Amino acid sequence: MPSKIKILSPDVANKIAAGEVVQRPASVVKELIENAIDAGASRITIKVKDAGKSLIQIVDNGEGMSELDASLAFKRHSTSKIRSAEDLEGIKTMGFRGEALASIAAVSQVELKTRSIEDELATVIRVEGDVLKEKTKASMERGTCILVRNLFYNTPARRNFLKSNQTELRNITDVVSRMALAFPDVEWKYISEDEILFDLKAETLENRVKNIFGQTQFENLLQIDEVTPVARIFGFISKPNFLRRNRAEQFVFLNKRYIYNKMINHAVFQAYESVIERGMFPFFILFLEMDPRKVDVNVHPTKLEVKFENESDVYKTVLTVTRKSLSSNNLIPAVSLKNQNDNLDIQYRDTLNEKEFGEKLRLTGAPIFPLKPLEHLDENLFISAEKESDKIITSVDLVGKTVDTEEIRKEGMETETATGSKPIWQIHNRYIFAQVKSGLLIIDQHVAHERIIYEKVLSTFENSLPSSQQLLFPETIDLGVRDYELVKELLPHLVVLGFDMRLFGKNTVIIEGIPSDVRAGNERRILQEVLDEYRNNENAGVKDVRDNIAKSFACKAAIKSGDKLSVHEMISLIEHLFLTKMPYVCPHGRPIVIRISLEELDKRFGRT
Ligand code: ADP
Ligand code: MG
């Protein structure tokens, strides 16, 4: 019986192997750029047509190849970068598998023009589906020019598998951007059809990041550079107020090679733990430099994934370095006290009359602010929990007991007239200054309250336990058609939120109860504002209905900038703020708290 197993012809074998390395035009671009980098090029030009489907051209000014090397280069497992299995242990080049050119040539029509410094003329080679079609000589400067035409012309299934030009071009742009980030000392030109997409001179990493991501984005980054026993880690991470809705902008390079590594991404994410909202991700560009023997880059055909000898060391190092940077930058945007003439008109006393105070009590809502009288309000009142190296404030310890409202009112007034010695002030009816152990906190009262209400509403939704204050007289509200339709759509959620209401037909609703954070009499205005805000958020891309309602309601029900607060209210606000999951960032991503450390103040006053 003839054997049913046959050894495949080299042609078929090559096509199969090519599938691993060459999946799309972007993979060709990546391999060819890597070759140019390995050849020591300081200038690389990439030109594509039809998103690389019909043409990819890469020109470099690297060391080039001799005639003999040029023909060997297309053989499978031909490489100048390693000699033995031991060499695999400490790879310093981008390539080493000796597969790229063979794989590319198996599925396209390739023309290579290359000249090394020793040769007078360049070698020109034409290869088509693996077969050498032509070899001639031509003149050119030192370097290599490679043209890849009609990718997958002989493997229609793969060609059909390609995505739209827009998508494929985006993939190529991603590859070029990553390479340009990893090699800022190289000059890059990237052209699609006849449009120049990148034209980057050799520059510093800082400028490269600016040029690729833009000045605004750059200003929201923190630069880091730490040398640790495990690795040198440098690059940029986003400030906590500049977060993204997806992971697309997370760049990790290991010894200049762009890699994808869940573990590293997680380590960075972990460092942001206390300042990041669910569904948000930090933007970062991190370069790890480490002994190549401590990592295996040969675990993935396209070398995208790597294996670290000691994963947990790398994890810890990345986490520590990132965390350190965040905390030494005070996690929150640094304050600038540049304008020396600014009169820091600190109010030691609030002079609210009793009526206003009572109103405020209702407005800020006892449910959110179970006010606590203060017994030991001294400078140690706010105790910042200093965790190891980082000084992230995680809790504020206030001493207090609950008393009835009448008592608070009386005591409140008294305490207020005696706040001169208390380490908390409201300025411009907008910001709260609080002295803490490590320095000074400045809190934006509106966004702080917004954060508190936001989290409260989310938990109300989660537990489906509506809390509503019944109105003495149900109110009938006439809404426009659009608003009526929106209320109809959101009704079940609004009811849980505490708007106890019924649809009455003819664009009319009847409200019988309101959320505990809404002051009676304001329900009409707040409902209207919530609906408007809901639409704004929806247009801005907030997809989740409940999240949107929580955001809109928090924004509209929160105390405003301009509202005067009593000391009790300020304390209560801060206390509740630090009970939230995310005291530092408001639901829209703006900072809530700015911290100025004593050291920072000392530095500015020349005390250190
Ligand atoms: P690898 O990069 O893994 O060695 P390739 O198939 O990508 O394998 O390339 C094979 C060889 O061809 C390389 O080892 C290198 O010697 C040579 N080569 C490829 N591209 C260039 C280039 N742009 N400049 C100089 N030499 C090159
Ligand atoms: Mg290569």
Side-chain angles (χ1 to χ4, degrees):
M1 217 168 84
S3 87
K4 58 180 181 182
I5 297 180
K6 297 259 183 318
I7 306 244
L8 294 172
S9 73
D11 173 48
V12 180
N14 280 347
K15 275 189 190 166
I16 292 173
E20 287 191 350
V21 183
V22 185
Q23 290 151 349
R24 49 177 16 99
S27 9
V28 175
V29 173
K30 171 177 177 284
E31 292 296 334
L32 296 181
I33 292 179
E34 288 188 353
N35 282 347
I37 293 284
D38 284 343
S42 63
R43 191 175 60 235
I44 300 173
T45 303
I46 301 113
K47 224 184 229 178
V48 297
K49 284 222 154 74
D50 208 11
K53 292 172 188 171
S54 57
L55 176 79
I56 295 169
Q57 178 183 21
I58 313 265
V59 185
D60 71 59
N61 64 349
E63 65 185 8
M65 285 176 266
S66 67
E67 183 182 334
L68 182 60
D69 281 344
S71 23
L72 281 174
F74 289 96
K75 300 250 179 297
R76 190 158 295 279
H77 307 304
S78 67
T79 178
S80 57
K81 297 165 196 175
I82 56 171
R83 290 272 171 274
S84 64
E86 288 83 70
D87 291 347
L88 270 177
E89 315 261 299
I91 286 164
K92 294 203 178 66
T93 48
M94 292 286 123
F96 57 86
R97 296 169 63 102
E99 291 190 309
L101 289 185
S103 297
I104 294 166
V107 290
S108 65
Q109 297 155 336
V110 178
E111 193 180 308
L112 171 81
K113 199 165 157 192
T114 184
R115 183 171 84 90
S116 69
I117 199 77
E118 294 84 30
D119 297 326
E120 222 159 88
L121 285 176
T123 308
V124 183
I125 284 183
R126 237 167 23 84
V127 190
E128 209 165 284
D130 254 355
V131 187
L132 181 75
K133 292 274 174 182
E134 197 183 319
K135 192 151 110 184
T136 53
K137 289 282 173 190
S139 66
M140 77 176 255
E141 287 181 11
R142 190 196 78 161
T144 301
C145 166
I146 182 157
L147 282 128
V148 175
R149 287 202 177 86
N150 304 320
L151 186 63
F152 300 138
Y153 78 104
N154 53 356
T155 47
R158 314 221 74 209
R159 193 178 174 88
N160 294 337
F161 173 78
L162 292 180
K163 303 256 163 54
S164 69
N165 278 12
Q166 201 190 354
T167 307
E168 295 298 345
L169 185 68
R170 206 180 40 236
N171 283 321
I172 298 176
T173 308
D174 283 348
V175 165
V176 179
S177 321
R178 291 167 193 162
M179 286 292 186
L181 279 174
F183 298 93
D185 47 351
V186 170
E187 204 179 310
W188 298 87
K189 199 172 230 172
Y190 168 40
I191 302 163
S192 164
E193 307 308 326
D194 287 317
E195 194 189 346
I196 300 178
L197 300 182
F198 284 158
D199 190 1
L200 301 163
K201 300 274 158 290
E203 58 198 342
T204 59
L205 174 62
E206 208 174 314
N207 285 331
R208 183 56 54 90
V209 170
K210 250 184 244 174
N211 279 323
I212 291 184
F213 297 101
Q215 180 71 23
T216 321
Q217 191 148 339
F218 181 79
E219 276 165 16
N220 283 301
L221 300 178
L222 301 169
Q223 186 157 19
I224 59 178
D225 194 350
E226 295 280 338
V227 180
T228 76
V230 175
R232 174 184 171 210
I233 300 182
F234 64 101
F236 298 87
I237 60 173
S238 57
K239 292 177 187 168
N241 59 333
F242 182 74
L243 303 169
R244 319 261 75 195
R245 295 218 168 267
N246 59 52
R247 290 172 223 265
E249 296 197 74
Q250 306 191 331
F251 300 86
V252 179
F253 298 86
L254 172 75
N255 295 339
K256 297 197 167 236
R257 185 192 302 283
Y258 173 82
I259 59 163
Y260 174 73
N261 188 289
K262 264 206 177 112
M263 184 262 304
I264 293 180
N265 288 358
H266 189 269
V268 178
F269 190 78
Q270 196 65 23
Y272 283 81
E273 198 193 11
S274 62
V275 289
I276 216 161
E277 264 186 80
R278 216 181 315 138
M280 299 296 270
F281 301 93
F283 165 91
F284 57 85
I285 308 165
L286 283 187
F287 293 89
L288 275 71
E289 260 173 22
M290 60 192 290
D291 184 342
R293 284 168 305 189
K294 296 257 187 295
V295 47
D296 187 355
V297 290
N298 190 26
V299 291
H300 193 260
T302 65
K303 300 163 283 185
L304 179 63
E305 285 170 34
V306 301
K307 192 158 172 28
F308 293 98
E309 188 179 275
N310 195 333
E311 290 236 317
S312 73
D313 276 359
V314 176
Y315 183 90
K316 275 187 228 142
T317 308
V318 172
L319 173 62
T320 312
V321 167
T322 318
R323 198 180 257 170
K324 182 175 163 206
S325 159
L326 286 173
S327 63
S328 67
N329 284 284
N330 280 343
L331 254 171
I332 23 204
V335 80
S336 114
L337 298 174
K338 269 182 230 136
N339 196 344
Q340 305 271 324
N341 298 328
D342 261 0
N343 178 12
L344 282 180
D345 175 23
I346 294 171
Q347 286 173 269
Y348 288 88
R349 279 152 220 245
D350 286 338
T351 43
L352 278 177
N353 63 41
E354 192 150 347
K355 186 169 162 287
E356 262 182 286
F357 182 62
E359 295 243 329
K360 192 60 64 185
L361 252 184
R362 244 176 286 134
L363 172 67
T364 55
I368 284 197
F369 290 7
L371 297 182
K372 292 174 180 180
L374 303 151
E375 281 162 0
H376 316 287
L377 187 56
D378 60 27
E379 63 190 48
N380 288 324
L381 184 71
F382 301 97
I383 295 158
S384 66
E386 296 189 7
K387 273 202 280 173
E388 316 134 37
S389 62
D390 53 7
K391 293 183 189 155
I392 302 167
I393 296 169
T394 54
S395 72
V396 177
D397 187 16
L398 291 168
V399 192
K401 61 174 199 253
T402 29
V403 286
D404 75 33
T405 327
E406 200 48 40
E407 217 176 303
I408 297 167
R409 225 191 270 192
K410 276 192 251 129
E411 249 210 69
M413 295 309 288
E414 275 161 26
T415 316
E416 262 162 34
T417 46
T419 47
S421 59
K422 310 295 187 249
I424 188 159
W425 307 273
Q426 185 188 31
I427 67 152
H428 293 278
N429 292 341
R430 193 182 304 165
Y431 298 110
I432 298 168
F433 278 49
Q435 174 182 319
V436 294
K437 245 186 174 176
S438 55
L440 175 67
L441 292 185
I442 306 174
I443 294 160
D444 181 325
Q445 63 185 42
H446 169 69
V447 287
H449 197 193
E450 197 178 353
R451 161 59 70 189
I452 296 166
I453 299 182
Y454 172 70
E455 290 200 8
K456 185 184 158 195
V457 172
L458 285 185
S459 83
T460 306
F461 279 147
E462 237 155 69
N463 309 320
S464 286
L465 286 176
S467 79
S468 164
Q469 28 169 341
Q470 288 311 114
L471 290 175
L472 224 46
F473 306 102
E475 187 168 356
T476 310
I477 303 181
D478 230 345
L479 296 162
V481 190
R482 283 177 72 229
D483 285 343
Y484 185 75
E485 289 303 314
L486 187 56
V487 166
K488 212 156 132 189
E489 187 187 321
L490 304 179
L491 191 63
H493 303 296
L494 291 172
V495 169
V496 177
L497 177 61
F499 280 106
D500 187 1
M501 59 182 181
R502 289 182 282 127
L503 300 171
F504 193 66
K506 287 199 194 135
N507 304 334
T508 306
V509 293
I510 298 184
I511 300 193
E512 287 171 344
I514 53 176
S516 49
D517 300 303
V518 174
R519 193 156 40 130
N522 277 345
E523 56 276 355
R524 182 186 295 264
R525 177 180 61 82
I526 296 215
L527 178 65
Q528 188 67 56
E529 286 180 0
V530 166
L531 295 176
D532 291 344
E533 185 72 8
Y534 183 91
R535 280 201 196 89
N536 289 343
N537 287 338
E538 200 174 46
N539 293 338
V542 178
K543 295 259 168 356
D544 187 280
V545 175
R546 289 170 158 199
D547 188 51
N548 190 346
I549 294 179
K551 281 198 169 92
S552 309
F553 180 69
C555 175
K556 296 308 171 189
I559 50 167
K560 302 260 174 303
S561 157
D563 287 342
K564 199 177 249 299
L565 300 181
S566 71
V567 172
H568 284 320
E569 288 170 321
M570 289 192 270
I571 303 276
S572 182
L573 185 74
I574 297 178
E575 185 185 41
H576 282 84
L577 176 64
F578 283 98
L579 287 175
T580 63
K581 293 195 201 100
M582 197 90 51
Y584 294 104
V585 196
C586 88
H588 300 96
R590 272 195 286 146
I592 297 174
V593 183
I594 288 175
R595 203 189 66 168
I596 313 171
S597 65
L598 259 186
E599 296 100 78
E600 169 73 12
L601 287 170
D602 287 346
K603 210 162 74 199
R604 284 175 188 268
F605 285 104
R607 277 179 181 269
T608 45

